[in-house]
Amino acid sequence: MKQFQDLVTLAPWTFIFQICNLLILTAGVKHFLFKPVQQILAKRKEEIEASYTEAEKAEGDAQAMKEEYETRLASAKEEAAEIVKSATARANARGEELVSAARAEAAALKSKADAEIESERRKAAGELKNDISERALDIAGRVVEKEIDPETHKELIDDFISRVGDAS
């Protein structure tokens, strides 16, 4: 039993050395392993937080750019609508101008044609009067030259009517 007793006995110096070894080992692990791991984890945490901050900033920038794009797009649409409206108004005004000018020109041509027709009618009437007067004088001269019997008188009138009919 002594052997069994030697196994279970407590040696105070061994116990003190083991506790000192444990404390030294703990201090070494803490100094050489735990602190660097903590520093690496802290650095990693800072990098992740910086990435999140950068991502939030990029998202904010993207949102601002989207809003600016939408504002510019709306402005461009309004400007395009205004340009189309202005061009339509100008085209309508120009169309009305052209129609008015064409109507005025047509009215001027019509009144000019009417005036020319009236002038030609007066001229023709004057020529017809002159022609009738000349024939009447010619007949009167013949009548005066001849003595008129009823048959000659009838022939002269028929001749006059046939000449006037040919002239018109």
Side-chain angles (χ1 to χ4, degrees), residues 39-55:
Q39 288 175 349
I40 290 171
L41 289 176
K43 219 181 215 184
R44 182 88 170 161
K45 184 179 179 183
E46 287 175 6
E47 288 174 1
I48 290 171
E49 286 177 358
S51 294
Y52 278 133
T53 305
E54 189 176 317

Side-chain angles (χ1 to χ4, degrees), residues 46-135:
E46 287 175 6
E47 288 174 1
I48 290 171
E49 286 177 358
S51 294
Y52 278 133
T53 305
E54 189 176 317
E56 287 174 357
K57 181 183 175 197
E59 184 180 2
D61 290 346
Q63 186 66 28
M65 288 173 66
K66 179 183 175 190
E67 289 174 4
E68 181 181 349
Y69 167 76
E70 289 174 352
T71 304
R72 285 185 180 179
L73 183 63
S75 174
K77 284 182 181 178
E78 288 174 6
E79 187 176 333
E82 187 64 34
I83 289 171
V84 168
K85 186 178 178 181
S86 171
T88 302
R90 282 192 307 237
N92 286 340
R94 181 67 178 148
E96 288 296 323
E97 224 176 80
L98 291 174
V99 167
S100 295
R103 284 183 181 154
E105 187 176 339
L109 287 174
K110 184 180 181 240
S111 72
K112 182 178 177 183
D114 287 344
E116 286 179 9
I117 289 170
E118 183 63 26
S119 171
E120 289 295 322
R121 189 183 62 78
R122 287 184 185 163
K123 184 177 174 185
E127 288 176 0
L128 185 62
K129 284 181 186 178
N130 288 340
D131 193 36
I132 290 174
S133 298
E134 286 177 14
R135 290 184 190 226

